[in-house]
Amino acid sequence: MQLFFCHFVARLFILCSDFHVLVQEQGVDQADLIAFLLELSFHTPGEAYSLDTLTDDQTTMIKDLADLGLVKLQKGRKESWFIPTKLATNLSVSLTDSSSRKQGFVVVETNFRMYAYSSSKLHCEILRLFARVEYQLPNLIVGAITKESLYNAFENGITAEQIVTFLQQNAHPRVAEKIPSVPENVTDQIRLWETDLNRVEMTPAHFYDEFPSRDVFEAASDFARMHNGLLWEDAKKMRMVVKAEIHMLMREHLRGQNK
């Protein structure tokens, strides 16, 4: 009962601590657990992420996290997803000790070098999500923000804006009063690298609709997916877009379905 009278962040910390003990009993690696929880905190609440992207240990963890209300699980016809809730975005705060929340610890230089004045392994794991950590001294973590480390973060669902906000909110006191607290060339480049990754690519394709039945549509969808040619589908309205390279195969398949 005492749990309900705790501050929200404290309640979340207690829940995560109990969860930590639970998954350790299941044989889940501690470092993997921390990294996954922190990665989850950077995800966008309400957005669906495929369960196929998770490892076996993460799949085990996600089911327990759903019981805690940190994610929602959704099953589709062929795929399943997890959807982070707003609670999940507070994980990085609740997992961090109270003293580190009182003041920042990160200094980012114009040459993309990063210095984190902390002895916390948790801080190190947070920084690894989007930066290359080179070495850790007793009270100092040294690393760099690189294109490769950021691409890895973007692929894991972390956005440029989330990274920039994290660096600004956790800026060390000696740079926190500066405007900006994180060099503009660094924040601009982080956003540019995300834009590069999200550039639109032109792919020759064909649009299919007016399927005679749902069975024919689903069979065509499976056929296109099997040949790695399905670009988009609207199951409700029975429409799809497939790569031009499998257009002839699709035509032959549909002819066979109509016989």
Coordinates of all heavy atoms in Angstrom, one line a residue, residues 35-44 47-50 53-55 58 82 84 125 128-131 148-160 162-163 194 197:
A35 N 20.1 -1.6 -20.9 CA 20.1 -1.0 -22.3 C 18.7 -1.0 -22.9 O 18.3 0.0 -23.5 CB 21.1 -1.7 -23.2
F36 N 18.0 -2.1 -22.7 CA 16.7 -2.2 -23.4 C 15.7 -1.2 -22.7 O 14.9 -0.5 -23.4 CB 16.2 -3.6 -23.3 CG 14.8 -3.8 -23.9 CD1 14.6 -3.5 -25.2 CD2 13.8 -4.3 -23.2 CE1 13.4 -3.6 -25.8 CE2 12.5 -4.5 -23.7 CZ 12.3 -4.1 -25.1
L37 N 15.7 -1.1 -21.4 CA 14.8 -0.2 -20.7 C 15.1 1.3 -21.1 O 14.2 2.1 -21.3 CB 15.0 -0.4 -19.2 CG 14.5 -1.6 -18.6 CD1 14.8 -1.7 -17.1 CD2 13.0 -1.8 -18.8
L38 N 16.4 1.6 -21.2 CA 16.7 3.0 -21.6 C 16.4 3.2 -23.0 O 15.9 4.3 -23.3 CB 18.2 3.2 -21.3 CG 18.7 3.2 -19.9 CD1 20.2 3.2 -19.8 CD2 18.1 4.4 -19.1
E39 N 16.6 2.3 -23.9 CA 16.2 2.4 -25.3 C 14.7 2.6 -25.4 O 14.2 3.5 -26.2 CB 16.7 1.2 -26.0 CG 16.5 1.3 -27.5 CD 17.0 0.0 -28.2 OE1 18.1 -0.3 -28.0 OE2 16.2 -0.6 -28.9
L40 N 14.0 1.9 -24.6 CA 12.5 2.0 -24.6 C 12.1 3.4 -24.2 O 11.1 3.9 -24.7 CB 11.9 1.0 -23.6 CG 10.4 0.8 -23.6 CD1 9.9 0.3 -25.0 CD2 10.0 -0.1 -22.5
S41 N 12.8 4.0 -23.3 CA 12.5 5.4 -22.8 C 12.6 6.4 -23.9 O 12.0 7.5 -23.8 CB 13.3 5.7 -21.6 OG 14.6 6.0 -22.0
F42 N 13.4 6.1 -24.9 CA 13.5 7.1 -26.0 C 12.5 6.9 -27.1 O 12.4 7.7 -28.0 CB 14.9 7.0 -26.6 CG 16.0 7.6 -25.8 CD1 16.8 6.9 -25.0 CD2 16.2 9.0 -25.9 CE1 17.8 7.5 -24.2 CE2 17.2 9.6 -25.1 CZ 18.0 8.8 -24.3
H43 N 11.7 5.8 -27.0 CA 10.7 5.5 -28.0 C 9.6 6.5 -27.9 O 9.3 7.1 -26.9 CB 10.2 4.1 -27.9 CG 11.1 3.1 -28.5 ND1 12.4 3.1 -28.3 CD2 10.8 1.9 -29.2 CE1 13.0 2.0 -28.9 NE2 12.0 1.3 -29.4
T44 N 8.8 6.7 -29.0 CA 7.7 7.6 -29.0 C 6.4 7.0 -28.5 O 6.0 5.9 -29.0 CB 7.4 8.1 -30.5 OG1 8.6 8.7 -31.0 CG2 6.3 9.1 -30.5
E47 N 3.4 5.0 -30.6 CA 3.8 4.5 -31.9 C 4.1 3.0 -31.8 O 4.7 2.5 -30.8 CB 5.1 5.2 -32.3 CG 5.5 4.9 -33.7 CD 6.6 5.8 -34.2 OE1 6.6 7.0 -33.9 OE2 7.5 5.4 -35.0
A48 N 3.7 2.3 -32.8 CA 3.9 0.8 -32.8 C 5.2 0.4 -33.4 O 5.7 0.9 -34.4 CB 2.8 0.2 -33.7
Y49 N 5.9 -0.5 -32.7 CA 7.2 -1.1 -33.1 C 7.1 -2.6 -33.2 O 6.5 -3.2 -32.3 CB 8.3 -0.7 -32.1 CG 8.5 0.8 -31.9 CD1 7.7 1.5 -31.0 CD2 9.5 1.5 -32.6 CE1 7.9 2.9 -30.8 CE2 9.7 2.8 -32.5 CZ 8.9 3.5 -31.6 OH 9.1 4.9 -31.4
S50 N 7.6 -3.1 -34.3 CA 7.5 -4.5 -34.5 C 8.2 -5.4 -33.5 O 9.4 -5.1 -33.1 CB 8.0 -4.9 -35.9 OG 8.0 -6.3 -36.2
T53 N 11.8 -7.1 -34.3 CA 13.1 -6.4 -34.1 C 13.7 -6.8 -32.8 O 14.9 -6.4 -32.6 CB 12.9 -4.9 -34.2 OG1 12.0 -4.4 -33.2 CG2 12.3 -4.5 -35.6
L54 N 13.0 -7.5 -31.9 CA 13.5 -7.7 -30.6 C 14.3 -9.1 -30.5 O 14.0 -10.0 -31.3 CB 12.4 -7.8 -29.6 CG 11.5 -6.5 -29.4 CD1 10.4 -6.7 -28.4 CD2 12.3 -5.3 -29.1
T55 N 15.2 -9.2 -29.6 CA 15.9 -10.4 -29.4 C 15.0 -11.3 -28.5 O 13.9 -10.9 -28.0 CB 17.2 -10.2 -28.6 OG1 16.9 -9.7 -27.3 CG2 18.1 -9.2 -29.4
Q58 N 14.7 -9.8 -25.1 CA 13.8 -8.6 -25.1 C 12.3 -9.0 -25.2 O 11.5 -8.3 -24.7 CB 14.3 -7.7 -26.2 CG 15.6 -7.0 -25.9 CD 16.1 -6.2 -27.1 OE1 15.6 -6.4 -28.3 NE2 17.1 -5.4 -26.9
F82 N 4.7 -3.8 -30.2 CA 4.6 -3.3 -28.9 C 4.5 -1.7 -29.0 O 5.1 -1.1 -29.9 CB 5.7 -3.7 -28.0 CG 7.1 -3.1 -28.4 CD1 7.6 -1.9 -27.8 CD2 7.9 -3.8 -29.3 CE1 8.8 -1.4 -28.2 CE2 9.1 -3.2 -29.7 CZ 9.6 -2.1 -29.1
P84 N 4.8 1.7 -26.8 CA 5.2 2.3 -25.5 C 4.2 3.2 -25.0 O 3.5 4.0 -25.8 CB 6.5 3.0 -25.8 CG 7.0 2.4 -27.1 CD 5.8 2.0 -27.9
E125 N 25.5 3.5 -20.0 CA 24.6 2.8 -20.9 C 23.7 3.7 -21.7 O 23.4 3.5 -22.8 CB 23.8 1.8 -20.1 CG 24.6 0.6 -19.5 CD 25.3 -0.2 -20.6 OE1 24.7 -0.4 -21.7 OE2 26.4 -0.7 -20.3
R128 N 25.7 5.2 -24.5 CA 26.0 4.2 -25.5 C 24.9 4.1 -26.5 O 25.1 3.6 -27.6 CB 26.2 2.8 -24.9 CG 27.6 2.6 -24.2 CD 27.8 1.2 -23.8 NE 28.8 1.0 -22.8 CZ 30.1 1.0 -23.1 NH1 30.5 1.0 -24.4 NH2 31.0 0.8 -22.1
L129 N 23.7 4.5 -26.1 CA 22.5 4.4 -27.0 C 22.7 5.3 -28.3 O 22.1 5.0 -29.3 CB 21.2 4.8 -26.3 CG 20.8 3.8 -25.2 CD1 19.6 4.4 -24.5 CD2 20.5 2.4 -25.7
F130 N 23.5 6.4 -28.1 CA 23.6 7.3 -29.3 C 25.0 7.8 -29.5 O 25.3 8.6 -30.4 CB 22.7 8.5 -29.1 CG 22.9 9.3 -27.9 CD1 23.9 10.3 -27.9 CD2 22.2 9.1 -26.7 CE1 24.1 11.1 -26.8 CE2 22.4 9.8 -25.6 CZ 23.3 10.9 -25.6
A131 N 26.0 7.4 -28.7 CA 27.3 7.9 -28.8 C 28.3 6.7 -28.7 O 28.0 5.6 -28.2 CB 27.6 8.9 -27.7
E148 N 27.9 7.0 -37.2 CA 27.6 5.6 -37.0 C 26.8 5.3 -35.8 O 25.8 4.6 -35.8 CB 28.8 4.7 -37.0 CG 29.6 4.6 -38.4 CD 30.3 5.9 -38.7 OE1 30.6 6.7 -37.8 OE2 30.6 6.1 -39.9
S149 N 27.2 6.0 -34.7 CA 26.5 5.8 -33.4 C 25.1 6.4 -33.5 O 24.1 5.8 -32.9 CB 27.3 6.4 -32.2 OG 27.4 7.8 -32.4
L150 N 24.9 7.5 -34.2 CA 23.6 8.1 -34.3 C 22.7 7.3 -35.2 O 21.5 7.1 -34.9 CB 23.7 9.5 -34.9 CG 24.3 10.5 -33.9 CD1 24.5 11.9 -34.5 CD2 23.3 10.7 -32.7
Y151 N 23.3 6.7 -36.3 CA 22.5 5.9 -37.2 C 21.9 4.7 -36.4 O 20.8 4.2 -36.6 CB 23.3 5.4 -38.4 CG 23.3 6.4 -39.5 CD1 22.9 7.7 -39.4 CD2 23.7 6.0 -40.8 CE1 22.9 8.6 -40.4 CE2 23.7 6.9 -41.9 CZ 23.3 8.2 -41.7 OH 23.3 9.1 -42.7
N152 N 22.8 4.1 -35.5 CA 22.3 3.0 -34.7 C 21.2 3.4 -33.8 O 20.2 2.7 -33.6 CB 23.5 2.5 -33.9 CG 23.2 1.3 -33.1 OD1 22.8 0.2 -33.6 ND2 23.3 1.4 -31.8
A153 N 21.3 4.6 -33.3 CA 20.2 5.1 -32.4 C 18.9 5.3 -33.2 O 17.8 4.9 -32.8 CB 20.6 6.4 -31.8
F154 N 19.0 5.9 -34.4 CA 17.9 6.2 -35.2 C 17.2 4.9 -35.6 O 15.9 4.8 -35.6 CB 18.3 6.9 -36.5 CG 18.9 8.3 -36.2 CD1 19.8 8.8 -37.1 CD2 18.5 9.0 -35.1 CE1 20.4 10.1 -36.8 CE2 19.1 10.3 -34.8 CZ 20.0 10.8 -35.7
E155 N 18.0 3.9 -35.9 CA 17.4 2.6 -36.3 C 16.7 1.9 -35.1 O 15.8 1.1 -35.4 CB 18.5 1.6 -36.8 CG 19.1 2.1 -38.2 CD 20.3 1.3 -38.6 OE1 20.7 0.4 -37.9 OE2 20.8 1.6 -39.7
N156 N 17.1 2.3 -33.9 CA 16.4 1.7 -32.7 C 15.2 2.6 -32.3 O 14.7 2.3 -31.2 CB 17.4 1.5 -31.6 CG 18.4 0.4 -31.8 OD1 18.0 -0.7 -32.4 ND2 19.6 0.6 -31.5
G157 N 14.8 3.5 -33.1 CA 13.6 4.3 -32.8 C 13.9 5.6 -32.0 O 12.9 6.3 -31.6
I158 N 15.2 5.9 -31.7 CA 15.5 7.2 -31.0 C 15.6 8.3 -32.0 O 16.2 8.1 -33.1 CB 16.8 7.0 -30.2 CG1 16.7 5.9 -29.3 CG2 17.1 8.3 -29.5 CD1 18.0 5.5 -28.6
T159 N 15.0 9.4 -31.8 CA 15.0 10.5 -32.7 C 16.0 11.5 -32.4 O 16.5 11.6 -31.3 CB 13.6 11.2 -32.7 OG1 13.4 11.9 -31.5 CG2 12.4 10.3 -32.9
A160 N 16.4 12.3 -33.4 CA 17.4 13.4 -33.2 C 16.9 14.4 -32.1 O 17.7 14.8 -31.3 CB 17.6 14.1 -34.5
Q162 N 15.0 13.8 -29.6 CA 15.2 13.2 -28.2 C 16.6 13.3 -27.7 O 16.9 13.5 -26.6 CB 14.6 11.8 -28.3 CG 13.1 11.7 -28.4 CD 12.7 10.3 -28.7 OE1 13.4 9.5 -29.3 NE2 11.5 9.9 -28.2
I163 N 17.5 13.0 -28.6 CA 19.0 13.1 -28.3 C 19.4 14.5 -27.9 O 20.0 14.7 -26.9 CB 19.8 12.5 -29.4 CG1 19.5 11.0 -29.6 CG2 21.3 12.8 -29.1 CD1 20.2 10.5 -30.9
E194 N 19.9 12.6 -39.2 CA 18.6 11.9 -39.2 C 17.8 12.2 -40.5 O 17.2 11.3 -41.0 CB 17.7 12.5 -38.0 CG 16.4 11.8 -37.9 CD 15.5 12.3 -36.8 OE1 15.5 13.6 -36.7 OE2 15.0 11.5 -36.0
L197 N 19.1 10.0 -43.2 CA 18.6 8.6 -43.1 C 17.1 8.5 -43.6 O 16.7 7.4 -44.0 CB 18.7 8.2 -41.6 CG 18.7 6.7 -41.4 CD1 19.9 6.0 -42.0 CD2 18.7 6.4 -39.9

